[in-house]
Amino acid sequence: MGERALPVGRDVIVGRDSELDRLAALVAGAAGEGGRVLLLSGAAGMGKSTLLEYAARRAGEAGRRVLRASGRESERDLAFAALHQLLRPVLDETPHLPDRQRRALLGAFGFVSDAPDPLLTGVAVLTLLSQVAERAPLVIVLDDAQWIDPASADVLAFAARRLADDPITLLAALRDLTPGPGGSPPLTPAPADASGHPARTPGPLDMAGFPTLTLGPLDAAASRRLLDLRAPGLTGRIRERVLDQAAGNPLALLELAAHAPLAPDGHGPLPVGERLAAIYAARLAELPEAARQALVLLAAADAEDPPDAVLALLPDADDKIWLAVEESGLVHRAGRHLRFRHPLVRSAIYHATPFDTRLEAHRTLAGALRDEPDRRAWHLAATALHPDAEVSAALERTAARARRRGGYAAAAKALARAAELRPDRDESARLLTDAAGSAVLTGDLPWVEELAGQARTRTDDPALLATAALHVGRLSALTRRHAATFDELAGIAGDLARTHPHIALDALAAAAVLRFYSGEESQRQEIDRLLPRLPATPLREWARIVSDPFGTGRAAAPRLPALIAAAGRRRGAGDHGEAPGADDRAVTGDSRGTDNGAGAGNRADTGGGPERLTALAVAAWVLDETPLAVRTFDAAVRSWRSAGPLPDGLGGVVALACFEYGRWDQARALCAELGALPAAARLHHAVACAHAIEAMVVAAQGDPATARALADEALRLVDPLESRSVAVYAHRALTTAAIAEGDYEDAWEHLRGVFGPAGDPVHYHASYPALPDLAESAARTGRHTEAIEIVERAARVLAQGGSPRLRGLVHRSRALLAGPDRAEEEFLAALAVPELERWPFEHAQALLEYAEWLRRRRRIAEARPFLTSAYDTFRRLGARPWSERAQAELRAAGLDVDPADPGALARLSPQQQQIVRLAARGLTNREIGERLFLSPRTVGSHLYRTFPKLGVTARSQLRDVVEAAGADGGAAPAGGR
């Protein structure tokens, strides 16, 4: 999900896309529609006010009149205070009210002496709002509705239930004063009822029966994006502490992030601002001593649901202190279950407590948590004011457990703190280097650089220095700095080849990844120069495969199935906690480098598991063993996801394999994950790769406009000379988009970004699959001679080391360029390659091209089975331009194909019908959104959901659906549903 920017200051909304879409649709649909009401509910800090601000802005942009009021606790006892605030801008309309209504309304505000009549006042408000809405649709925005005075609340509730015939929308935000499962409790205490107990109702505004939109905590990805946008300089362990302690509450995220840089190292809640700290410190000071001690222990425990060992330290559940604690509004209690009412409450209490008292709390907790070694280690660390080897060792063991569970950020955090507490400087440097290695898998390059830099200040050990640099280099591979990073990694390999060969081999394997990204021939030569100096292990062979797959690396292909099977067996053993064997040092992959097909900066210090499987899958993919690669990636991805989030760099190569294998929806989903990397991470190459791969998919699906936008953005993010692989993928996408539109001149121009001026491939691996596109474009634009030269040059290179797939593509390319006497021979040679069926899109294209050739020679009966097979594959994949092309050929061959369902459009909602009609006219999602006052994402979401209902796979097919339904495809009226 993306970000929605607001017009004021730096406010940004993240993680609320569905809520934003619902609000945008609601306020945009007020014209000509019956009244509508929506309540926003949620704990303090969840963003209700921000969403209301967004809705008000969208309403204003759509030409709506907006009236606003905000409940205030100080005015809850002032009758009609909120109503006056709401109606003050339109009180000049009151002379147009019927006399009795006018006097009732003015009497409610004290402007005339008439006694208040609640019913007549409600009718007057309804009439006044209806009058205002006659000139422009009206949107009423009520914030903090839980504090609205009862008199205003009654009138507004009365009016809300009678808006059905008016173009009026009412949005109200109410703080949820009763914490529910999974949600953060309120920031302020609930008001007391007559018995002195906290009220469990949201306030006097009775809106029962109206739809409610409940805001829960942001998910982990949205929380990270919010920090990336609002606190881009916050990295490393402090950032992780903010994420942990805020628990998805946007206000807590921003408040904690603002003061996190002032926090001391170690464990415990982060500080909050002075205002909040003072509020909660005052409430804490009013409590009995035993209650204060209990809350300090809870705050120091820093856990949303404290373990039983911590609860055992607290007074009994029936102790009278708990009544005072609950009345303070600081903690919500249900029996022995205790939870702070807001993450900021915990932080404020912790930092309002004297330092010595906090230390004592951590010591007490450490003593109680002997059966929970990870929690205990962190509490011991919080009490350590000087280096302590025992506590450091405990944290190192905590890091090892976190890493086995896939908690790489937690592992890096624990190792960094362990380094601070380790007395020996070289040992401290080792821990920091290990921390950098774990941090690589978080994608936080600034953090990795910070940890590596700290390690360098504490040691002169060349192995540690090289390893720290290697960790930075692995993640830097996903930036724009390919040439410089390659030189650094190759330098490490050369310097340490004799003294530390395994580190040197790690560095050279990572350098091979850079060679793949850049496609630079001089880098292959450097790798070939260094490889003989390094141990003859499978990792060395892996580097050769990635660097030179159609040369010396091709010989490894027959051994891959056995290696992958062995890795799978070892993964099963490793899942049960077995230590890796020595042979696991040979081929392991760090998934950060696998974003566009070459794999990872490989790690000799890592055991089996997903890293090893990933590396082997990369090797299989590079060698065009795509089915084997996809199966292996599936196993590796399951391992990653079972242990934690999928590492950022893994998505690209898996997406490429899925695209080639025909799993297009999965490919796009993976690209979306990778493309959402924050700009603060500086991993531009990874993001560009995701855009380029997704562009290839959507171009094949028949959405050339989106494909061009994605490909152009990919090319903008990288230097095409440093990231030739991404550049080639982008140009292949642009080529496919042009072919989908029948523009073969444009396709030929884009192919010059795939094959250079002299006809050489721009990239030694990524260019060759575009050979048939080159041949078809040349054949249709009269460039046979030039294209034949390029194809034959490629054929000579691939004759020995090329895969069966690529040799089949050469035959297909020759067939498209050949004269009548040679074409059929080449078509049949291409189709005779049994492996070609593993790439369903390419196989279907070959079938279609051969069938077209047959039909042009009036061999219609022979063409039909090829056409049918190709058509079925294209329909299954969603390759709309090619399915339409095959459909036309089938009709020309005398075969019926499924017509469009003329009733499908009528079964859609009115809003969906309008979106489909506008899309059928060629309008983009943004243009449709501007007309209907919807976000482009909402338009895209509607289209995505309507495609299966309409029996289409791409937006270019919508015109046929509209025509079949007898629709004119005209524009929907602005503001329609």
Side-chain angles (χ1 to χ4, degrees):
M1 295 185 292
E3 301 87 49
R4 308 291 179 87
L6 291 177
V8 180
R10 300 176 60 230
D11 290 334
V12 172
I13 305 176
V14 300
R16 303 295 192 199
D17 282 3
S18 61
E19 292 88 346
L20 294 174
D21 290 341
R22 184 169 177 181
L23 288 169
L26 195 62
V27 299
E33 300 291 337
R36 58 195 66 193
V37 177
L38 180 66
L39 309 182
L40 298 181
S41 174
M46 285 298 174
K48 301 182 296 299
S49 298
T50 303
L51 290 177
L52 287 183
E53 179 67 29
Y54 170 85
R57 179 174 66 87
R58 289 299 300 264
E61 292 171 349
R64 277 65 174 138
R65 177 76 180 267
V66 180
L67 295 179
R68 308 174 71 161
S70 182
R72 295 169 183 168
E73 192 171 4
S74 61
E75 296 184 353
R76 290 185 75 237
D77 296 327
L78 300 178
F80 298 110
L83 187 65
H84 180 260
Q85 184 189 160
L86 178 74
L87 298 182
R88 185 178 178 184
V90 293
L91 286 179
D92 57 354
E93 298 273 351
T94 55
H96 304 295
L97 292 175
D99 184 64
R100 290 184 63 214
Q101 294 182 28
R102 178 180 60 81
R103 295 189 65 82
L105 182 58
L106 295 179
F109 295 148
F111 295 151
V112 298
S113 59
D114 292 40
D117 182 333
L119 178 61
L120 200 54
T121 302
V123 173
V125 169
L126 185 62
T127 304
L128 178 64
L129 295 175
S130 182
Q131 283 181 187
V132 173
E134 287 178 359
R135 287 189 293 278
L138 180 62
V139 175
I140 299 169
V141 177
L142 304 176
D143 200 2
D144 280 328
Q146 72 278 357
W147 304 131
I148 286 179
D149 62 276
S152 296
D154 289 343
V155 170
L156 290 171
F158 173 89
R161 291 186 168 85
R162 291 163 176 81
L163 297 178
D165 296 325
D166 294 287
I168 301 174
T169 299
L170 188 150
L171 305 174
L174 300 96
R175 183 174 301 169
D176 182 3
L177 299 178
T178 303
S184 296
L187 182 61
T188 55
D193 62 19
S195 64
H197 293 91
R200 301 186 64 81
T201 58
L205 186 61
D206 180 12
M207 292 289 188
F210 286 114
T212 299
L213 184 60
T214 302
L215 302 182
L218 298 179
D219 62 25
S223 296
R224 291 178 184 278
R225 281 200 302 279
L226 183 58
L227 281 189
D228 291 332
L229 289 163
R230 294 292 297 271
L234 199 66
T235 62
R237 57 189 165 183
I238 296 295
R239 183 173 186 266
E240 294 301 319
R241 287 174 68 188
V242 170
L243 290 166
D244 290 343
Q245 293 176 22
N249 186 289
L251 175 63
L253 280 164
L254 300 179
E255 178 76 15
L256 294 174
H259 300 90
L262 305 176
D265 291 334
H267 198 54
L270 294 162
V272 298
E274 291 182 5
R275 181 180 64 85
L276 286 176
I279 291 172
Y280 293 120
R283 292 186 192 169
L284 183 67
E286 294 171 356
L287 295 175
E289 175 63 22
R292 291 200 300 271
Q293 291 177 356
L295 291 185
V296 170
L297 275 175
L298 281 175
D302 204 19
E304 186 174 349
D305 294 301
D308 289 342
V310 173
L311 296 178
L313 299 171
L314 306 178
D316 293 337
D318 57 356
D319 194 295
K320 63 182 180 181
I321 73 163
W322 293 118
L323 179 60
V325 170
E326 285 191 277
E327 288 177 347
S328 74
L330 298 174
V331 173
H332 173 71
R333 184 172 72 101
R336 286 183 59 81
H337 180 81
L338 294 161
R339 178 178 293 180
F340 284 105
R341 288 191 173 273
H342 194 280
L344 298 179
V345 176
R346 176 192 295 119
S347 301
I349 288 176
Y350 183 83
H351 290 280
T353 303
F355 181 69
D356 289 345
T357 304
R358 296 205 303 262
L359 288 185
E360 186 57 36
H362 284 296
R363 290 191 190 100
T364 301
L365 291 166
L369 292 168
R370 295 187 181 279
D371 293 333
E372 298 196 38
D374 295 340
R375 292 179 187 268
R376 181 173 185 270
W378 276 111
H379 285 297
L380 288 172
T383 68
L385 303 180
H386 305 287
D388 188 318
E390 290 186 8
V391 176
S392 176
L395 285 170
E396 188 174 3
R397 292 190 293 271
T398 287
R401 287 187 288 269
R403 187 176 176 89
R404 283 199 294 271
R405 296 190 300 269
Y408 300 105
K413 236 184 344 180
L415 288 167
R417 180 61 175 145
E420 293 171 353
L421 295 174
R422 190 63 58 96
D424 181 86
R425 288 181 62 82
D426 281 339
E427 276 293 290
S428 177
R430 176 187 64 79
L431 291 169
L432 284 167
T433 301
D434 289 348
S438 290
V440 166
L441 289 164
T442 71
D444 192 337
L445 179 57
W447 191 15
V448 176
E449 292 173 331
E450 175 190 338
L451 291 166
Q454 291 176 4
R456 285 193 291 269
T457 66
R458 302 187 190 190
T459 186
D460 295 324
D461 185 320
L464 285 177
L465 293 173
T467 302
L470 176 54
H471 292 323
V472 174
R474 287 195 184 101
L475 205 47
S476 295
L478 299 185
T479 70
R480 298 187 181 100
R481 298 177 55 249
H482 290 162
T485 304
F486 177 90
D487 290 343
E488 293 167 7
L489 293 170
I492 293 172
D495 293 343
L496 299 187
R498 184 177 61 83
T499 58
H500 299 85
H502 286 294
I503 297 176
L505 189 51
D506 265 5
L508 198 62
V513 175
L514 272 300
R515 144 70 174 161
F516 186 96
Y517 294 165
S518 69
E520 175 59 49
E521 178 62 15
S522 64
Q523 293 178 358
R524 181 194 64 78
Q525 295 169 1
E526 179 67 4
I527 290 170
D528 286 349
R529 184 183 71 82
L530 292 170
L531 277 176
R533 300 169 55 187
L534 299 173
T537 67
L539 182 55
R540 189 176 80 168
E541 192 167 35
W542 186 94
R544 194 183 299 278
I545 290 170
V546 171
S547 176
D548 191 17
F550 306 139
T552 57
R554 185 68 200 170
R559 296 193 294 278
L560 281 175
L563 288 171
I564 289 170
R569 290 192 297 271
R570 183 163 294 280
R571 178 177 68 92
D575 288 343
H576 292 84
E578 294 184 13
D583 61 334
D584 278 318
R585 297 168 61 86
V587 179
T588 54
D590 176 338
S591 68
R592 285 286 159 187
T594 62
D595 70 300
N596 71 353
N602 291 271
R603 301 174 57 91
D605 61 344
T606 309
E611 297 97 336
R612 181 179 175 87
L613 282 172
T614 297
L616 291 167
V618 166
W621 179 81
V622 169
L623 292 172
D624 271 340
E625 299 292 334
T626 300
L628 178 63
V630 170
R631 290 195 301 272
T632 309
F633 277 133
D634 284 345
V637 169
R638 282 194 298 270
S639 293
W640 283 116
R641 292 197 187 279
S642 66
L646 187 68
D648 295 330
L650 185 58
V653 64
V654 183
L656 270 167
C658 288
F659 172 58
E660 293 177 352
Y661 200 50
R663 297 182 182 179
W664 289 5
D665 289 343
Q666 185 178 353
R668 291 194 67 180
L670 289 163
C671 288
E673 290 183 20
L674 187 57
L677 278 173
R682 309 205 312 258
L683 307 182
H684 297 98
H685 174 88
V687 175
C689 179
H691 291 330
I693 297 167
E694 186 174 9
M696 293 168 67
V697 180
V698 299
Q701 290 176 324
D703 188 353
T706 301
R708 290 191 182 97
L710 287 165
D712 289 345
E713 178 64 11
L715 292 170
R716 185 190 68 80
L717 286 170
V718 298
D719 179 346
L721 295 179
E722 294 231 359
S723 297
R724 289 187 181 92
S725 55
V726 166
V728 166
Y729 295 138
H731 282 293
R732 280 173 55 184
L734 293 169
T735 298
T736 303
I739 290 175
E741 294 180 320
D743 190 345
Y744 291 95
E745 284 286 350
D746 190 45
W748 178 263
E749 290 302 315
H750 288 304
L751 283 162
R752 309 317 294 161
V754 181
F755 295 92
D760 294 317
V762 170
H763 189 273
Y764 65 94
H765 185 274
S767 290
Y768 287 122
L771 282 170
D773 288 342
L774 177 97
E776 183 177 19
S777 300
R780 292 182 182 247
T781 58
R783 295 181 171 91
H784 289 73
T785 302
E786 186 176 354
I788 288 171
E789 182 178 344
I790 295 173
V791 169
E792 293 308 317
R793 183 177 302 176
R796 289 191 292 273
V797 172
L798 300 173
Q800 299 300 319
S803 66
R805 171 205 181 190
L806 293 180
R807 290 197 292 273
L809 293 181
V810 168
H811 284 301
R812 183 178 146 208
S813 303
R814 285 170 169 165
L816 291 167
L817 294 166
D821 56 333
R822 290 289 307 280
E824 185 165 22
E825 176 186 344
E826 296 292 349
F827 273 129
L828 293 175
L831 293 170
V833 177
E835 292 85 356
L836 187 58
E837 294 186 11
R838 300 173 182 175
W839 295 269
F841 185 50
E842 292 175 4
H843 183 236
Q845 285 177 306
L847 291 171
L848 175 61
E849 289 158 358
Y850 180 43
E852 288 173 330
W853 186 88
L854 289 170
R855 197 187 64 77
R856 286 197 299 270
R857 280 147 188 80
R858 302 188 180 280
R859 295 162 61 179
I860 293 174
E862 295 175 69
R864 285 172 178 167
F866 297 108
L867 286 172
T868 301
S869 179
Y871 179 66
D872 289 344
T873 299
F874 292 140
R875 283 290 299 267
R876 176 177 59 81
L877 292 174
R880 190 271 311 164
W882 282 266
S883 65
E884 290 182 353
R885 184 168 148 186
Q887 185 181 60
E889 288 289 331
L890 282 166
R891 287 172 176 159
L895 295 178
D896 292 331
V897 291
D898 296 333
D901 178 5
L905 186 64
R907 291 192 290 270
L908 301 181
S909 71
Q911 185 181 65
Q912 289 174 333
Q913 289 184 40
Q914 290 178 348
I915 291 172
V916 167
R917 290 190 178 101
L918 292 172
R921 294 181 57 207
L923 274 69
T924 66
N925 289 357
R926 182 174 298 279
E927 291 168 337
I928 295 171
E930 289 174 354
R931 293 196 180 205
L932 301 184
F933 305 106
L934 301 173
S935 71
R937 183 183 292 272
T938 298
V939 174
S941 177
H942 277 300
L943 288 173
Y944 179 81
R945 291 195 298 270
T946 59
F947 278 18
K949 299 177 184 178
L950 298 174
V952 302
T953 56
R955 70 195 296 142
S956 58
Q957 296 171 276
L958 295 176
R959 181 177 299 173
D960 293 338
V961 173
V962 171
E963 290 175 354
D968 61 6
R977 286 190 67 165

